[in-house]
Amino acid sequence: MGGIPSMKGSIRISEIFGPTVQGEGPLIGRPTVFVRTGGCDYRCSWCDTLYAVLPEFREEWTLMSPAAILAQVEHLAGSTPVLVSLSGGNPALQPLAPLIEQGHRKGHTFALETQGSVPQPWFAALDWLMLSPKPPSSEMTTDWQALDDCISAAAGGPHCALKVVVFDEDDYAYARFAACRYPTLPVYLQVGNPAPLVTHTGPGSEEANIDDVMRGFRWLVDKVTADRWYAATVLPQLHVLAWGNRRGF
Amino acid sequence: MGGIPSMKGSIRISEIFGPTVQGEGPLIGRPTVFVRTGGCDYRCSWCDTLYAVLPEFREEWTLMSPAAILAQVEHLAGSTPVLVSLSGGNPALQPLAPLIEQGHRKGHTFALETQGSVPQPWFAALDWLMLSPKPPSSEMTTDWQALDDCISAAAGGPHCALKVVVFDEDDYAYARFAACRYPTLPVYLQVGNPAPLVTHTGPGSEEANIDDVMRGFRWLVDKVTADRWYAATVLPQLHVLAWGNRRGF
């Protein structure tokens, strides 16, 4: 309305890549094309995708229309319907309703992961909504009301799941609280990745320390089983084990 | 009927252990207690649990009543309802109906994995049935009619899934055929583990070669995505990455 017409409804994209497999959460191992949006309302201390978060990477981001995004997804996926994983940054900051609607018409399915800080009415149109509130080690503060609102927005729509990254005891206690607060949601505990690609203090290593990841995994399995928390699912990040901290996998 | 009364309905057990997490298939990462039965109608070339298969290990196996098995499960699980993973050997050779029925009454859930060579009417009482037909590298021959009968036996009951171990191109082609034959079943492709605990020629290494496993995983992801086989799920064995080929995890 009076702006630049070509920008209306555009989505800020950091990268589109795949098909590869989802490395995390309830769809672990499932082939997917990732659509990563640029921009985030959080600054997690251990963020592993700062290139999709920090304003200094903004010139790497592209404003794309839903049609252009779908064209790129379909180019990558060979014109076969595919699971599209909407990630970020925080993809809930972008106007994704038309992308989801147009993609559904072509047979694609959509999973979105967000920290749950910004509810959107179009969450109900998703196929999967992974809510990943950030634990104390992230140095962020959870707005539980916003998370409640995200879950309400999704009601009657997608499969919903909670995913909590756990680095330490405080994170674990936070995960227990989150699970207790949302007793109807399946909970995925994800081992923290101690060596992200880019840190706040400069570039990190592309080589993930698999020993560290699996040590964290064993520790978390021991915690969960000792606490008889049998409703939780404990997973490492499969893509980190397979490809380290490289981008595009 | 004329036998030794205390043996009637007994189940041949190789080991009961846990709680740990399921390392494979649709329940990957889920806390569970494993109940491994002794005895198998197959002799897969790469079997990683020969101690539950070969007759020379028979004296390690124990005949247990359903009540005794449940007592052990509940001892391990701390009297909390838990997912019980029935494995083997081929657990379909054992009379498991009373165990499942008694376990359900105590709130436990039951997942069974079998190659699908022996259908049982009590499959319908399970919560999960993982059918794992064995590909060419196993040197076994699939009885597809028996597998059909297993699926029919489970109808209206458990969640069913196909799981196929893939070591090579021939195994991959076999997996594609199996998926095509059972289009309604979700398919899990599992990377073959090149270093099982015990081989036919003697004990193997307890150290899994994680590099080999993850190389196989990347190869399989590449195959699946190149073929646009987006309905498949590709997973390594998480317990092998976490604990190597040790028993009891």
Side-chain angles (χ1 to χ4, degrees):
Chain A
M1 309 296 264
I4 303 166
S6 66
M7 306 300 258
K8 185 169 171 296
S10 288
I11 297 162
R12 202 176 295 277
I13 294 296
S14 165
E15 57 182 349
I16 300 176
F17 65 94
T20 181
V21 292
Q22 173 58 258
E24 307 178 355
L27 299 174
I28 192 167
R30 200 72 59 86
T32 188
V33 171
F34 281 89
V35 172
R36 187 184 304 286
T37 62
C40 196
D41 47 324
Y42 272 29
R43 295 291 182 274
C44 297
S45 65
W46 35 250
C47 178
D48 56 357
T49 51
L50 282 173
Y51 57 87
V53 168
L54 298 178
E56 50 260 48
F57 291 89
R58 189 179 284 249
E59 49 193 53
E60 292 182 10
W61 305 341
T62 315
L63 280 173
M64 293 177 75
S65 67
I69 293 169
L70 282 177
Q72 178 64 5
V73 166
E74 290 174 358
H75 170 70
L76 292 169
S79 301
T80 304
V82 72
L83 170 68
V84 178
S85 293
L86 301 164
S87 185
N90 184 359
L93 299 177
Q94 304 297 317
L96 297 180
L99 174 67
I100 297 165
E101 188 198 334
Q102 291 171 38
H104 274 158
R105 270 192 258 127
K106 296 187 157 199
H108 305 300
T109 52
F110 289 86
L112 181 137
E113 176 167 330
T114 177
Q115 60 265 50
S117 54
V118 179
Q120 294 285 5
W122 49 260
F123 283 176
L126 290 163
D127 301 283
W128 290 87
L129 176 62
M130 294 12 159
L131 292 158
S132 186
K134 303 306 177 189
S137 64
S138 71
E139 298 171 24
M140 296 294 110
T141 302
T142 302
D143 178 345
W144 295 101
Q145 182 59 52
L147 192 55
D148 292 351
D149 293 344
C150 286
I151 293 166
S152 299
H159 302 278
C160 289
L162 272 186
K163 200 186 73 181
V164 183
V165 175
V166 177
F167 276 89
D168 55 28
E169 296 282 353
D170 287 350
D171 290 356
Y172 181 78
Y174 173 95
R176 293 222 72 167
F177 172 78
C180 182
R181 188 175 169 100
Y182 304 106
T184 62
L185 295 188
V187 177
Y188 291 78
L189 304 182
Q190 180 173 300
V191 181
N193 173 11
L197 174 61
V198 182
T199 68
H200 271 302
T201 53
S205 168
E206 289 195 351
E207 298 296 323
N209 190 328
I210 291 183
D211 288 345
D212 284 349
V213 172
M214 293 319 291
R215 193 174 303 119
F217 175 76
R218 289 189 296 266
W219 170 79
L220 195 46
V221 169
D222 286 347
K223 293 284 297 175
V224 162
T225 54
D227 286 342
R228 315 299 185 196
W229 188 8
Y230 301 145
T233 297
V234 185
L235 292 172
Q237 291 173 298
L238 212 44
H239 54 287
V240 170
L241 299 177
W243 291 285
N245 291 306
R246 290 170 194 82
R247 274 179 71 167
F249 288 102
Chain B
M1 305 291 268
I4 303 164
S6 66
M7 306 299 256
K8 186 171 172 295
S10 288
I11 296 163
R12 201 177 296 277
I13 295 295
S14 164
E15 56 182 349
I16 300 176
F17 65 94
T20 181
V21 292
Q22 173 58 258
E24 308 178 354
L27 299 174
I28 191 167
R30 201 73 60 86
T32 187
V33 171
F34 282 88
V35 172
R36 188 185 303 288
T37 63
C40 196
D41 47 326
Y42 272 29
R43 294 291 182 275
C44 297
S45 65
W46 35 250
C47 179
D48 56 358
T49 52
L50 283 173
Y51 57 88
V53 169
L54 297 178
E56 51 260 47
F57 290 90
R58 188 179 286 249
E59 48 192 54
E60 292 182 11
W61 305 340
T62 315
L63 280 173
M64 293 177 76
S65 68
I69 293 169
L70 281 177
Q72 178 64 6
V73 165
E74 289 172 359
H75 170 70
L76 292 169
S79 303
T80 304
V82 71
L83 170 68
V84 178
S85 293
L86 301 165
S87 184
N90 184 359
L93 299 177
Q94 304 297 319
L96 297 181
L99 174 67
I100 297 165
E101 188 198 332
Q102 292 171 38
H104 274 158
R105 269 191 260 128
K106 296 187 157 198
H108 305 299
T109 52
F110 289 88
L112 181 137
E113 176 167 329
T114 177
Q115 60 265 50
S117 54
V118 179
Q120 294 285 6
W122 48 259
F123 284 175
L126 291 162
D127 301 282
W128 290 87
L129 176 62
M130 297 6 163
L131 293 157
S132 186
K134 303 305 177 189
S137 64
S138 70
E139 300 172 22
M140 296 293 110
T141 303
T142 302
D143 178 344
W144 294 103
Q145 182 59 52
L147 192 54
D148 292 351
D149 293 345
C150 286
I151 293 166
S152 299
H159 302 278
C160 288
L162 272 185
K163 200 186 74 182
V164 183
V165 175
V166 177
F167 277 89
D168 56 28
E169 295 281 352
D170 287 351
D171 291 355
Y172 181 78
Y174 172 95
R176 292 222 72 165
F177 173 78
C180 182
R181 188 175 168 100
Y182 304 106
T184 62
L185 295 187
V187 177
Y188 291 77
L189 304 181
Q190 179 172 298
V191 181
N193 173 10
L197 174 62
V198 182
T199 69
H200 272 301
T201 53
S205 168
E206 288 195 353
E207 298 297 321
N209 190 327
I210 291 182
D211 288 345
D212 284 350
V213 172
M214 293 320 289
R215 192 175 303 119
F217 175 75
R218 290 189 295 266
W219 170 78
L220 196 46
V221 169
D222 287 346
K223 293 284 297 177
V224 162
T225 55
D227 286 342
R228 316 299 186 196
W229 188 7
Y230 301 144
T233 297
V234 185
L235 292 171
Q237 291 173 297
L238 212 45
H239 54 287
V240 170
L241 299 177
W243 291 286
N245 291 305
R246 291 171 193 80
R247 274 178 72 167
F249 289 100

